[in-house]
Amino acid sequence: MSPRGKGLTTLNVGIAAVESLLEIIIGVFTDQVLERKEFPGFGLFLKVPPGFQEHQAYFESYILRNTLSQLGNTVQLNQKVLWKPPVLTNMARFTTHLGEAVFEGWFLDGAEPLLDFAGTILEYVQRADIAQIKSVRLCSQAIASIRTVFLRVILLRLSELDDTGADEVSTVSFLDRMTYWQTIILSPENTEADFLRLICYLLYTKLIDDREKVRLAAANLWRMILVQKPAETSAILNHAVTLNQRQISSGFKKIMELDNETFILWVDDHREDLDAFFFGSMALSWETFVSHENSKTQETAKSRVGKRRERLKKWVTDEMANEETLRRHEVATHHWNVNIHASEHVKHQRALQDEQDTLNYISSSYGKLDRDLKGPCGLLSDHVPQKWRLDQTEGRNRMRLRVLPDAGSQGHNYQPKRKPRQSVSSGGFRLDTISRSNSSTNMIVGTPDDKASDQAAAGGEKVISDELGAVEDGFEMVDDPREEPSGFEDKNRKVMRSLQRGDQVQQVYNVSRIVGLEACEGLLILGKDSLYLLDNFFQRSDGEIVNVWQAPKEERDPYLEMISGRASHEKRPSSSSREHDSRSWRWEDVISVSKRRFLFRDVATEVFFTDGRSYLLTTLTPVLRNELHLKLVSKAPHVTGNSASPHPEDAWRLEALRSHDDVPQSLGSKFANVFNSTSSNPNTRRWAKGEISNFHYLMLVNTMAGRTFNDLTQYPVFPWVLADYTSDELDLDNPRSFRDLSMPMGCQTAERQAEFRDRYQSFAEMGDHTAPPFHFGTHYSSAMIVASYLIRLQPFVKSYLLLQGGSFDHADRLFYSVEKAWTSASRDNMTDVRELIPEFYYLPEFLENFNGYDFGVTQGTGQRIDTVALPPWAKGDPRIFIAKNREALESPHVSKHLHQWIDLVFGFKQRGELAIEATNVFHHLSYHGAKDLDNIEDSVERLATIGIIHNFGQTPHQVFPRAHPRREEAHHRAKRLDTAAESLTRLPFPVLESGERVSSLLYASKHERLLCSAAFRLNIPPSYEKYMEWGFADNSVRFYMTDSKKLAGLFEHLHQGQLSYALFADSRTLITAGTDCTVSVWAVVSGVKSVDLQPKACLFGHSTPVTMLAISRSLSAFLSASADGQVLLWDLNRLEFVRMLCTGGPVECARINDVTGNIMLCRGQTVTIFGLNGHVLLEQMVCEASDDYILSCAFYEGTGEEWLQRDIILTGHRRGVVNMWSKVIRNGRFELELIKQLNHTGTGREDGANTTAGVSCILPLAQVVYTGDEDGRVYEWDCVHRHDESSRR
């Protein structure tokens, strides 16, 4: 009978090279068995490459199966080879090796092939003629070893048939195979006594099998064993313990007399006794055998694994050594080639980068030149209507007064809210501002970056090309995904090129610049000499600088992604020439650094600069914020008051921004603060004494509370002060004209207050601890409130549209009437408790729609929304409204009660029981500390909380934990020009007599002396230790030391021709005008005994020589007037043209008010006053005599912080006359009212008549006026305290 084996899943090796390699390996293994003296074993486990154990098992099984087959074929073809003792010995070792592999599981399905191989050998050597051969007899031990392996594998295979649940065919086949090998299994040479016992035990398990054929095959084997081994089987069966079990031996002997079916029936009848015998004592022998074999297999496997591990280690070591050798070889061989290639590649890439940067610079310069040529006063002026935006430059009292041309808004086509059936232009602003989550109830308004809209074209042709680039034939144009996002660019080098010459990088921080509702990520670089802010760069944790959209998502600020509603890993924004804008300031220009909050997290820092600009920067964590703040303060130590400002002319900015909390306090001062009932804040004391205005103090309080213009969610808060918006005339002496400052806006009427109190009580009775009760479900200050107030100005239009989803709200819901806004917030609307913003008291432009936006029409009346409807007492003029509103804010009634409003918003009634009593409780998430965003684990809850904080409103930081002091009554306050101009009295003798026309008067407060300059001469601020002269024949400008008259610097050809005018903007900036019709700006570098001029810009716009300059340093604005009467206004920060004020006759003198920004131009006998943004406030003839004209003029500005009772200007005339005027509102317009005339009388004239010399210069101070004339005399005029006035008091 030919045995049949169950084959393993064969490996499909179809490659000839692999088959040839297999033949070689098998040939080597065959020779090791047949030719070598001692077979050492294959050691495949030491030769198989590293891999999965399953793969190793399949591979070894594949090799062993083929080796076994080849050896079997070789032996069959030449059986005499087994006569050789070495061969038989090697065969014994080979079968032992294969037996271990089968037992350990490395030779998959190898039991039956091994049985066939070993059985063939044993069958041959057991033949009588072969067994008599001497060489075979000498190898009896080897033959016994083969037989042992054979019998162990028989037992293993029999047990596997039970364990694996083999099918009937496989089981019967193997039992038949055992019958085939019966001569070996039952050979007399088989001396192992336990083997027959174990065979009987396993055959009994087959005898009681459920499958009939298996039982029959097992019965055949039993019969064969009983016939060939009667004594041994009798001995095994006679070990039965009980009487019934002893009958087993006789029963089994009957099998030789019965057929298989009858024998099986007998087994079934005696099943209980048979089971007790076989599964009792017989099973114990089997378990002992199995335990022994398992232990031996485990030991063998452990040894095998250990050797394998050592070999793998050796392989790894060898491989690493080989790799190191190869690496060294490659480095040694190709090092020079690699270096040269890398060097040349970097040079090439940098050349490309330089070329690109050059092209960008040329493009930027060409664009600026194009704007200058086509803009107003340009050579190719196209007279396109200009769009305007509010400039972030802050002046006195932190007022942002100036609007600038908005080059980025020319292509905007904002649309009003339309009905569903109305179509909307495709050019409209469209943004999806809702961040969607799994829950439909959790939504947050986003603020995606709108770079594309900022880059809209100024001309129609470019707009068309942009649209074609975006959409063509209805298909969306996308980038090729195979292309790199930005190609090669050395960002580190690009950043380094942004540094000033000779500067060094000392620290780099990843920050985000908050702009309204948006956040622009970038780098803040702390250099040795300067501070740099670069947009859209990011420094990775490995130090590499990349574009911000290429930065790892996990390293960026997740809160910015949450408020913006876009993924941080999104593709780069729309291409822009301003994509990587860089800004830089010298450390001496950093005027203040304050800690701020963003989303109630202590991660923000606000940095203020001497040019009036500020930036709110956020970091990833509070720890980084504190580190950054410490670094900034250490670089600019004067911000904390530890050292004086390097530029005294900027000291007023530092005082306006310095927080009392930032100043170090001693233990004694802290102790006094706790027990002192009055405020320890010096600004509060100054306000209480009336030294600073209500407006200035409110701005200081907002600053101390962390409110900032840079974040619409934390915009400064100002109160409604008026309640009368219906009268034709505003009566500020009537208390009924004012709102109740002791109550919040929700409680201006008793009925409304009662409703809010009932609401609070209802919420309190609900007892929801997660949502504390509140009076007001909306806030008095939020991003939407600010944006709706400033909806007529950029950049707030964009912010409003971001909140509204891309279009304006319904016209009825817009801010279009001051009266309706008041009635809504104070009486009619339970969801409206808004307060005001600072612009209501200084910026009339926010009430005008001078950009021509289409806000739609109201549904009820069909009225088109345009400029804000004003109260009747404003006479339809926004400037009159602002003036009267500011006057109301500074009125005695408001001054008397303002502390009560401060207590509600910034003070002790803001929180706790006192807030409940004052009906002043808002939603709990509007207060700092209600929830820590960093500790919220649920992303949906965190997103919803951020949405509420970012959009609902944020209650300011509590500045005053105790009651705010009242404003003191005005008694015995120092006289000022605005209150006591009529009392001005001239000293009897001139204070100075130079003999030359007085062209400039300056008061050096440091030296407490008056400085007088003649024509073509200027004293250099702030110490005035040097002066400048011009007008020389060689067209040079010369600098001299004041004390020694030594030359400190000489510069020629600043202009083509002579200088026609010059002035110092500050100690670092000189502005010159020339007969060549240009204006130049120079950086002044002043050493101890030297002065250097470095050009900053040359400005073009005039077509005739420039004859007059005037400047406001606090507002960073200056004007130039030419001989043909053309007056141009310029931006000192950006050195760009702003607007043309007017044309007309030549301008004799001009001034810009450094506080209000008003511009005064004097032509002949006429005074014209403009607002800073070009609106004519008044134009009036101020000369009585026909031959008189104005020679000089000046504004009275006070100290810049107090409220001036009267807006006073002074004009100098011929024949020694100085007129003092008060700007008043009369008949719905501004007029000048003469309040005092000052006269220069001739010193040698007995009649006391005026001198013939005209007044060429006027310097008004707080209590003194200095006037200089063309003869070089300077007079002093003082406010005199009269006895009659004191008695009247």
Side-chain angles (χ1 to χ4, degrees):
M1 183 175 63
S2 174
R4 292 180 300 169
K6 177 185 175 183
L8 178 70
T9 302
T10 58
L11 298 178
N12 186 13
V13 181
I15 303 176
V18 175
E19 293 179 348
S20 300
L21 183 61
L22 176 64
E23 291 179 3
I24 295 173
I25 293 173
I26 292 174
V28 171
F29 286 174
T30 303
D31 288 343
Q32 285 189 352
V33 177
L34 300 179
E35 303 297 336
R36 294 195 62 169
K37 184 176 181 181
E38 292 183 0
F39 175 64
F42 294 146
L44 285 177
F45 63 92
L46 298 178
K47 298 180 176 64
V48 176
F52 294 106
Q53 289 189 354
E54 181 182 0
H55 297 168
Q56 294 177 22
Y58 270 98
F59 180 73
E60 289 194 26
S61 301
Y62 177 71
I63 296 295
L64 293 176
R65 183 179 299 277
N66 283 276
T67 304
L68 200 62
S69 175
Q70 180 66 25
L71 273 175
N73 293 336
T74 303
V75 171
Q76 288 290 343
L77 293 175
N78 184 17
Q79 291 183 336
K80 291 184 179 181
V81 74
L82 296 176
W83 294 2
K84 300 177 182 179
V87 173
L88 267 179
T89 302
N90 288 346
M91 285 293 182
R93 292 176 180 174
F94 177 64
T95 54
T96 301
H97 175 74
L98 292 185
E100 291 175 355
V102 169
F103 271 81
E104 292 177 19
W106 296 104
F107 192 3
L108 302 178
D109 288 349
E112 295 185 12
L114 177 57
L115 289 175
D116 291 341
F117 177 78
T120 303
I121 295 175
L122 291 173
E123 184 182 33
Y124 176 74
V125 298
Q126 284 183 182
R127 284 169 44 187
D129 56 330
I130 302 301
Q132 297 302 321
I133 300 174
K134 182 179 180 181
S135 59
V136 175
R137 283 189 289 109
L138 293 174
C139 296
S140 59
Q141 189 176 355
I143 296 171
S145 177
I146 296 174
R147 182 176 292 105
T148 300
V149 172
F150 180 87
L151 297 178
R152 288 175 63 220
V153 173
I154 286 288
L155 295 175
L156 174 65
R157 184 57 183 155
L158 272 176
S159 64
E160 284 179 347
L161 294 176
D162 287 337
D163 296 339
T164 59
D167 57 17
E168 184 178 10
V169 175
S170 300
T171 305
V172 172
S173 174
F174 182 73
L175 293 175
D176 292 343
R177 189 186 298 259
M178 289 181 63
T179 304
Y180 177 79
W181 296 116
Q182 59 179 307
T183 57
I184 302 173
I185 296 173
L186 303 177
S187 170
E189 286 79 8
N190 184 3
T191 59
E192 295 188 16
D194 289 338
F195 171 73
L196 193 59
R197 178 186 296 272
L198 298 176
I199 284 289
C200 292
Y201 170 77
L202 293 176
L203 285 178
Y204 176 73
T205 61
K206 303 298 181 290
L207 191 61
I208 61 174
D209 196 278
D210 295 335
R211 295 165 294 188
E212 186 66 24
K213 291 183 179 180
V214 174
R215 302 184 71 180
L216 293 175
N220 286 332
L221 280 172
W222 268 109
R223 179 180 291 106
M224 180 184 64
I225 293 172
L226 290 171
V227 170
Q228 298 187 29
K229 296 283 188 176
E232 291 83 351
T233 54
S234 295
I236 293 172
L237 296 176
N238 286 334
H239 279 81
V241 179
T242 64
L243 179 61
N244 292 332
Q245 292 176 355
R246 290 194 186 99
Q247 299 174 357
I248 292 175
S249 176
S250 59
F252 267 95
K253 292 179 181 179
K254 294 179 181 179
I255 194 173
M256 293 181 289
E257 304 171 4
L258 305 174
D259 57 11
N260 291 341
E261 289 77 5
T262 305
F263 177 68
I264 291 173
L265 290 176
W266 178 85
V267 169
D268 293 337
D269 291 340
H270 297 79
R271 179 69 178 274
E272 183 177 353
D273 296 331
L274 292 172
D275 286 350
F277 172 70
F278 282 100
F279 295 138
S281 58
M282 294 284 284
L284 184 61
S285 301
W286 170 250
E287 291 173 0
T288 303
F289 172 77
V290 170
S291 175
H292 174 72
E293 290 297 327
N294 287 341
S295 298
K296 189 163 67 171
T297 302
Q298 288 175 1
E299 289 297 326
T300 308
K302 184 176 180 181
S303 174
R304 174 191 180 97
V305 170
K307 293 178 180 179
R308 170 76 174 175
R309 191 169 295 156
E310 292 298 324
R311 179 55 60 92
L312 289 176
K313 289 181 180 178
K314 185 176 183 305
W315 284 347
V316 171
T317 304
D318 293 345
E319 185 177 1
M320 291 176 63
N322 293 336
E323 289 179 355
E324 179 65 17
T325 302
L326 290 175
R327 187 190 66 80
R328 290 180 180 179
H329 175 72
E330 291 176 356
V331 170
T333 306
H334 305 291
H335 183 68
W336 65 272
N337 190 23
V338 171
N339 282 348
I340 291 176
H341 179 270
S343 175
E344 294 303 316
H345 180 71
V346 170
K347 288 180 181 178
H348 174 68
Q349 297 295 351
R350 287 182 175 177
L352 293 179
Q353 185 176 342
D354 290 342
E355 182 180 359
Q356 185 62 45
D357 289 346
T358 302
L359 290 175
N360 289 339
Y361 175 77
I362 294 174
S363 175
S364 175
S365 301
Y366 178 80
K368 185 178 184 303
L369 179 62
D370 183 69
R371 290 194 303 272
D372 292 342
L373 288 174
K374 295 182 179 179
C377 304
L379 186 63
L380 305 175
S381 178
D382 51 11
H383 305 289
V384 175
Q386 185 65 264
K387 299 287 186 181
W388 303 90
R389 68 186 292 119
L390 184 66
D391 182 28
Q392 66 174 347
T393 302
E394 297 178 9
R396 297 276 184 171
N397 304 309
R398 297 201 62 191
M399 293 181 180
R400 299 190 300 171
L401 290 163
R402 186 171 58 171
V403 295
L404 297 177
D406 187 11
S409 295
Q410 298 298 328
H412 287 170
N413 182 22
Y414 302 140
Q415 299 295 321
K417 181 75 75 174
R418 302 175 185 271
K419 296 180 180 179
R421 65 177 179 269
Q422 291 179 301
S423 61
V424 179
S425 171
S426 61
F429 193 98
R430 284 291 172 267
L431 290 173
D432 182 8
T433 62
I434 303 300
S435 176
R436 286 141 176 101
S437 62
N438 294 332
S439 173
S440 61
T441 60
N442 293 289
M443 296 184 292
I444 177 172
V445 177
T447 59
D449 193 6
D450 187 36
K451 292 277 187 182
S453 62
D454 279 346
Q455 302 303 320
E461 181 180 354
K462 190 169 182 180
V463 171
I464 294 173
S465 65
D466 286 348
E467 291 177 355
L468 290 176
V471 179
E472 183 177 352
D473 296 331
F475 291 95
E476 182 180 5
M477 306 300 291
V478 298
D479 296 333
D480 188 347
R482 295 170 297 179
E483 294 180 358
E484 288 293 328
S486 59
F488 171 84
E489 188 175 32
D490 189 347
K491 304 297 188 307
N492 297 64
R493 183 167 177 263
K494 187 168 185 176
V495 169
M496 292 300 294
R497 291 179 64 175
S498 302
L499 303 185
Q500 300 291 340
R501 183 182 298 274
D503 203 0
Q504 299 175 0
V505 175
Q506 295 184 338
Q507 200 79 26
V508 179
Y509 290 91
N510 290 317
V511 298
S512 298
R513 180 168 54 91
I514 305 301
V515 186
L517 286 173
E518 300 179 277
C520 179
E521 295 178 78
L523 292 179
L524 184 68
I525 299 178
L526 278 59
K528 180 181 178 183
D529 302 321
S530 300
L531 177 69
Y532 304 88
L533 187 60
L534 282 70
D535 291 343
N536 292 314
F537 283 117
F538 189 91
Q539 185 181 41
R540 297 189 316 221
S541 57
D542 59 1
E544 182 70 19
I545 293 177
V546 297
N547 291 317
V548 70
W549 53 88
Q550 297 171 331
K553 179 181 179 181
E554 62 275 6
E555 295 183 21
R556 294 176 65 181
D557 192 340
Y559 290 95
L560 300 182
E561 177 184 340
M562 293 178 188
I563 66 170
S564 67
R566 61 168 186 246
S568 61
H569 58 276
E570 67 180 3
K571 213 169 184 181
R572 60 175 293 172
S574 302
S575 61
S576 165
S577 60
R578 300 173 64 95
E579 186 177 276
H580 292 301
D581 269 1
S582 64
R583 305 165 182 82
S584 66
W585 302 266
R586 298 189 67 82
W587 284 114
E588 60 196 35
D589 294 330
V590 181
I591 199 69
S592 178
V593 181
S594 299
K595 292 181 179 180
R596 293 285 186 259
R597 294 190 178 110
F598 182 66
L599 297 177
F600 285 142
R601 299 174 68 238
D602 296 322
V603 295
T605 303
E606 193 164 22
V607 187
F608 299 86
F609 302 95
T610 55
D611 60 9
R613 288 181 280 188
S614 63
Y615 294 92
L616 182 66
L617 309 175
T618 66
T619 57
L620 191 61
T621 64
V623 175
L624 277 176
R625 192 280 302 268
N626 294 336
E627 178 187 337
L628 173 60
H629 181 267
L630 188 62
K631 292 284 186 183
L632 292 173
V633 168
S634 66
K635 285 288 186 179
H638 58 276
V639 301
T640 59
N642 295 331
S643 62
S645 171
H647 306 294
E649 64 264 32
D650 298 321
W652 62 270
R653 287 194 189 274
L654 179 59
E655 291 300 324
L657 296 168
R658 180 178 293 164
S659 173
H660 180 61
D661 296 335
D662 292 337
V663 180
Q665 297 184 1
S666 65
L667 180 61
S669 63
K670 293 180 180 178
F671 222 62
N673 291 345
V674 176
F675 297 102
N676 193 358
S677 59
T678 60
S679 175
S680 62
N681 192 307
N683 292 320
T684 302
R685 293 196 296 269
R686 292 181 62 202
W687 173 80
K689 293 178 181 179
E691 297 177 5
I692 58 178
S693 66
N694 291 341
F695 181 93
H696 183 69
Y697 183 60
L698 286 174
M699 282 304 306
L700 288 173
V701 173
N702 272 280
T703 303
M704 288 187 288
R707 309 298 283 192
T708 170
F709 286 114
N710 293 302
D711 183 4
L712 292 190
T713 67
Q714 302 183 84
Y715 210 76
V717 187
F718 269 62
W720 291 91
V721 296
L722 290 172
D724 181 7
Y725 297 95
T726 57
S727 301
D728 290 334
E729 297 297 332
L730 183 62
D731 184 4
L732 295 181
D733 295 324
N734 183 2
R736 296 176 60 86
S737 298
F738 298 91
R739 64 137 328 160
D740 185 356
L741 288 168
S742 67
M743 291 290 182
M745 282 302 295
C747 303
Q748 292 300 302
T749 64
E751 297 81 4
R752 203 173 188 220
Q753 181 180 15
E755 290 186 34
F756 282 121
R757 285 183 176 273
D758 292 342
R759 171 190 288 180
Y760 182 90
Q761 190 61 34
S762 300
F763 285 138
E765 291 173 356
M766 293 172 62
D768 187 355
H769 299 291
T770 61
F774 54 84
H775 294 112
F776 309 115
T778 56
H779 208 264
Y780 52 77
S781 176
S782 67
M784 177 55 80
I785 291 173
V786 176
S788 63
Y789 278 144
L790 300 174
I791 195 174
R792 291 162 179 82
L793 273 178
Q794 285 285 18
F796 305 99
V797 180
K798 185 194 297 185
S799 298
Y800 183 88
L801 294 175
L802 289 170
L803 292 170
Q804 281 295 119
S807 64
F808 296 119
D809 199 357
H810 292 289
D812 300 84
R813 293 202 287 262
L814 297 177
F815 170 57
Y816 66 92
S817 168
V818 176
E819 177 192 355
K820 290 188 180 298
W822 160 254
T823 56
S824 172
S826 64
R827 186 186 63 202
D828 295 344
N829 192 342
M830 290 292 290
T831 63
D832 186 2
V833 293
R834 56 183 156 170
E835 292 282 6
L836 297 184
I837 55 176
E839 284 78 2
F840 271 85
Y841 299 98
Y842 69 81
L843 187 68
E845 283 75 17
F846 90 96
L847 300 168
E848 298 178 295
N849 185 21
F850 49 77
N851 280 328
Y853 297 131
D854 182 5
F855 297 113
V857 297
T858 58
Q859 294 180 354
T861 63
Q863 175 189 358
R864 179 163 293 280
I865 301 301
D866 194 59
T867 296
V868 176
L870 302 173
W873 46 258
K875 310 304 179 185
D877 189 343
R879 285 144 195 87
I880 293 179
F881 170 79
I882 294 295
K884 287 186 175 293
N885 208 32
R886 175 68 190 277
E887 185 181 358
L889 177 64
E890 306 295 343
S891 65
H893 178 86
V894 173
S895 298
K896 182 179 179 181
H897 297 283
L898 185 59
H899 67 282
Q900 297 175 322
W901 183 84
I902 294 175
D903 285 337
L904 291 171
V905 178
F906 301 101
F908 75 116
K909 292 183 180 180
Q910 184 193 88
R911 299 180 178 220
E913 292 297 327
L914 292 174
I916 299 174
E917 294 176 9
T919 320
N920 193 37
V921 179
F922 295 84
H923 192 282
H924 73 285
L925 288 181
S926 72
Y927 297 91
H928 175 256
K931 272 195 177 181
D932 188 349
L933 291 177
D934 295 323
N935 290 334
I936 300 177
E937 307 241 342
D938 185 5
S939 60
V940 176
E941 181 186 357
R942 185 189 297 116
L943 193 64
T945 305
I946 290 174
I948 294 174
I949 295 174
H950 196 247
N951 298 290
F952 171 81
Q954 300 177 27
T955 302
H957 167 68
Q958 189 178 31
V959 180
F960 306 102
R962 296 183 297 275
H964 193 282
R966 297 172 176 268
R967 189 83 175 260
E968 298 174 4
E969 296 293 334
H971 296 304
H972 308 294
R973 289 183 180 170
K975 281 182 173 293
R976 301 192 312 245
L977 288 187
D978 58 314
T979 58
E982 292 83 358
S983 68
L984 281 174
T985 302
R986 180 174 63 86
L987 297 184
F989 300 101
V991 295
L992 287 173
E993 286 189 83
S994 64
E996 296 179 292
R997 183 180 187 273
V998 178
S999 63
S1000 172
L1001 286 173
L1002 294 170
Y1003 184 77
S1005 56
K1006 180 179 179 181
H1007 305 287
E1008 295 185 352
R1009 63 173 180 168
L1010 184 69
L1011 301 177
C1012 173
S1013 299
F1016 308 114
R1017 174 170 172 167
L1018 285 176
N1019 292 295
I1020 304 177
S1023 60
Y1024 305 106
E1025 296 174 349
K1026 304 180 185 72
Y1027 64 90
M1028 180 184 96
E1029 288 187 348
W1030 70 93
F1032 301 98
D1034 59 356
N1035 296 337
S1036 64
V1037 174
R1038 304 178 187 182
F1039 294 88
Y1040 296 93
M1041 305 299 297
T1042 303
D1043 52 357
S1044 63
K1045 310 300 182 185
K1046 289 185 178 180
L1047 186 68
L1050 185 149
F1051 303 91
E1052 295 180 343
H1053 306 300
L1054 299 187
H1055 289 264
Q1056 297 295 322
Q1058 284 286 359
L1059 266 66
S1060 55
Y1061 206 95
L1063 58 79
F1064 282 95
D1066 52 41
S1067 59
R1068 294 155 290 166
T1069 308
L1070 171 67
I1071 304 175
T1072 61
T1075 57
D1076 57 358
C1077 311
T1078 65
V1079 178
S1080 295
V1081 184
W1082 309 85
V1084 181
V1085 182
S1086 182
V1088 177
K1089 294 184 179 181
S1090 64
V1091 176
D1092 187 24
L1093 292 183
Q1094 299 175 355
K1096 294 178 70 175
C1098 187
L1099 307 175
F1100 302 88
H1102 293 284
S1103 56
T1104 57
V1106 179
T1107 59
M1108 180 61 58
L1109 296 172
I1111 189 166
S1112 168
R1113 185 62 188 91
S1114 67
L1115 296 168
S1116 298
F1118 70 96
L1119 64 81
S1120 59
S1122 55
D1124 59 357
Q1126 186 184 55
V1127 181
L1128 306 181
L1129 192 63
W1130 306 89
D1131 177 7
L1132 186 59
N1133 283 343
R1134 301 168 184 83
L1135 299 176
E1136 293 179 350
F1137 172 82
V1138 177
R1139 67 174 75 240
M1140 182 173 67
L1141 290 178
C1142 62
T1143 57
V1147 176
E1148 276 77 20
C1149 57
R1151 290 291 183 272
I1152 302 177
N1153 192 313
D1154 208 41
V1155 178
T1156 65
N1158 289 340
I1159 300 170
M1160 178 165 50
L1161 301 178
C1162 300
R1163 289 189 175 96
Q1165 299 182 336
T1166 303
V1167 171
T1168 306
I1169 298 181
F1170 296 84
L1172 182 63
N1173 298 311
H1175 185 86
V1176 179
L1177 299 179
L1178 64 87
E1179 187 171 18
Q1180 184 173 328
M1181 185 178 292
V1182 296
C1183 296
E1184 296 180 355
S1186 60
D1187 63 341
D1188 190 15
Y1189 58 87
I1190 305 169
L1191 295 174
S1192 59
C1193 61
F1195 284 104
Y1196 171 64
E1197 300 171 351
T1199 62
E1201 298 175 350
E1202 76 277 29
W1203 164 247
L1204 301 182
Q1205 300 291 337
R1206 290 183 292 189
D1207 192 354
I1208 293 177
I1209 67 170
L1210 300 93
T1211 55
H1213 301 257
R1214 296 183 62 195
R1215 292 183 286 274
V1217 174
V1218 176
N1219 287 332
M1220 295 187 67
W1221 309 85
S1222 174
K1223 183 164 67 71
V1224 298
I1225 299 173
R1226 186 176 291 129
N1227 299 324
R1229 62 190 182 91
F1230 292 99
E1231 293 183 357
L1232 293 180
E1233 180 181 62
L1234 182 65
I1235 59 174
K1236 179 72 174 179
Q1237 189 175 81
L1238 311 178
N1239 296 291
H1240 283 208
T1241 57
T1243 56
R1245 302 183 59 168
E1246 297 181 357
D1247 57 359
N1250 281 10
T1251 180
T1252 58
V1255 177
S1256 58
C1257 189
I1258 305 172
L1259 176 63
L1261 301 178
Q1263 298 174 324
V1264 180
V1265 175
Y1266 294 101
T1267 57
D1269 59 25
E1270 294 177 326
D1271 289 339
R1273 291 185 294 269
V1274 178
Y1275 289 94
E1276 178 180 335
W1277 307 77
D1278 295 327
C1279 291
V1280 177
H1281 185 75
R1282 303 182 188 278
H1283 292 287
D1284 56 344
E1285 292 181 2
S1286 61
S1287 63
R1288 285 199 296 270
R1289 291 194 183 95

